[in-house]
Amino acid sequence: MRLRCLASSRVTSQTNLATHHLRFVRTLCRSSVRREMTVEAKLVPSPEVLELWRNAQAVCFDVDSTFCVDESIDELAAFLGVGDQVAALTAKAMGGTVKFQDALAERLSLMACSQQQLQAFLQAHPAQLSPGIPELVAKLQQQGKAVFLVSGGFRQIIHPIAESLGIPLSHVYANRLLFKEDGSYAGFDAEEFTSRSGGKAEAVRDIKRKFSYDRIVMVGDGATDMEARQEDAANIFIGYGGVVERPNIAAQADWYIYDIHALLQALL
């Protein structure tokens, strides 16, 4: 009798587990479908978003994985032979357990990039622009729209890119590596907006204040870019998944694209 009860209990337990698993799978499927439907809906801009894009006074681009196809800090770390260690610190930072500025300081201290090493990196790694970027920048400038680069990357890497496309260096908001007289690493400029959490929103506010813009668009691939969409900062956020697709960003963006040419076509 006891054996029969135990067997019955096991069957009931297995049945319950199977039922819970089935419910879990169904929930995942429904969530996946809803997410896909949400992302798909963002692939076509609303009339309001399209009008704001066409009439924007300024467009701010993230650089890594948006304006360019690579992540500069990861590429530089790999060049210096500490790619895996820096990647681990990046993952730790993304987990939200440390402040952005502390994580940046920790990674840069590990890299300890000298001025000479940075110059060697720049020579060995020319900029890799995302397809369509040169044409889009030229079109925006032709239409009288200002182009800004707002990045957590480094001015020493971004300035040559800006100059090659006719973007004024005063339109670059990024971090700055500091060096000692002998060229060894000395730290980074903590006064730069993008050296700290919420810095991209601060940068866009500064742009609005300095240039008296009312309509600014932010284009980027990540959460720090989306944070720039605030009442007193960027009016809309356009998410870009052409390098790294982030479903959570796609679901919350005002418009989500996989091809830079989509932005260019919307201006024609």
Side-chain angles (χ1 to χ4, degrees):
M1 182 61 143
R2 183 179 178 185
L3 288 174
R4 188 180 302 167
C5 289
L6 286 172
S8 176
S9 176
R10 288 196 187 99
V11 170
T12 302
S13 177
Q14 290 171 356
T15 301
N16 288 339
L17 284 173
T19 301
H20 286 309
H21 178 70
L22 182 58
R23 287 175 181 169
F24 177 67
V25 170
R26 285 174 176 168
T27 300
L28 281 181
C29 289
R30 284 195 294 266
S31 297
S32 177
V33 170
R34 282 197 298 267
R35 185 165 58 248
E36 288 177 7
M37 289 176 64
T38 301
V39 172
E40 186 176 344
K42 296 300 179 71
L43 297 180
V44 179
S46 68
E48 294 78 15
V49 167
L50 193 57
E51 181 181 4
L52 218 161
W53 166 246
R54 288 173 172 165
N55 293 288
Q57 295 166 297
V59 180
C60 300
F61 290 93
D62 171 44
V63 175
D64 295 333
S65 294
T66 300
F67 207 78
C68 295
V69 300
D70 52 7
E71 288 281 338
S72 59
I73 192 168
D74 292 341
E75 295 294 324
L76 181 57
F79 179 78
L80 296 171
V82 291
D84 291 342
Q85 298 95 309
V86 169
L89 290 175
T90 299
K92 178 182 175 183
M94 292 182 69
T97 56
V98 293
K99 291 181 179 179
F100 179 85
Q101 49 268 48
D102 293 339
L104 179 62
E106 190 174 7
R107 284 177 288 177
L108 291 179
S109 295
L110 175 62
M111 292 162 64
C113 180
S114 70
Q115 195 168 24
Q116 295 82 357
Q117 288 173 317
L118 180 59
Q119 289 304 317
F121 170 78
L122 290 172
Q123 291 177 6
H125 293 77
Q128 300 182 54
L129 298 176
S130 292
I133 281 294
E135 297 86 349
L136 177 59
V137 170
K139 189 64 177 178
L140 289 169
Q141 292 171 332
Q142 180 188 344
Q143 294 185 351
K145 304 179 193 301
V147 175
F148 290 82
L149 301 181
V150 181
S151 172
F154 311 114
R155 288 184 177 274
Q156 288 92 336
I157 295 175
I158 296 171
H159 279 183
I161 299 172
E163 290 177 325
S164 71
L165 295 172
I167 300 171
L169 296 187
S170 59
H171 287 198
V172 175
Y173 286 72
N175 288 309
R176 187 191 304 275
L177 292 172
L178 303 177
F179 303 101
K180 299 177 183 177
E181 287 187 9
D182 63 357
S184 60
Y185 175 69
F188 65 94
D189 187 352
E191 295 302 311
E192 295 283 6
F193 290 122
T194 56
S195 70
R196 51 188 180 267
S197 301
K200 291 188 178 181
E202 288 186 53
V204 176
R205 289 189 193 101
D206 189 67
I207 292 169
K208 269 194 166 180
R209 183 171 58 253
K210 279 184 178 178
F211 299 92
S212 300
Y213 293 139
D214 296 318
R215 301 181 300 280
I216 296 185
V217 175
M218 181 73 201
V219 182
D221 70 293
T224 58
D225 307 309
M226 189 165 62
E227 287 175 359
R229 180 189 58 193
Q230 297 185 26
E231 186 175 346
D232 58 347
N235 299 80
I236 61 171
F237 167 67
I238 299 176
Y240 178 61
V243 178
V244 181
E245 182 182 19
R246 307 182 198 278
N248 61 318
I249 301 300
Q252 299 177 71
D254 296 295
W255 181 11
Y256 199 72
I257 61 169
Y258 292 94
D259 189 339
I260 293 295
H261 290 93
L263 297 179
L264 181 60
Q265 289 298 317
L267 293 173
L268 301 179

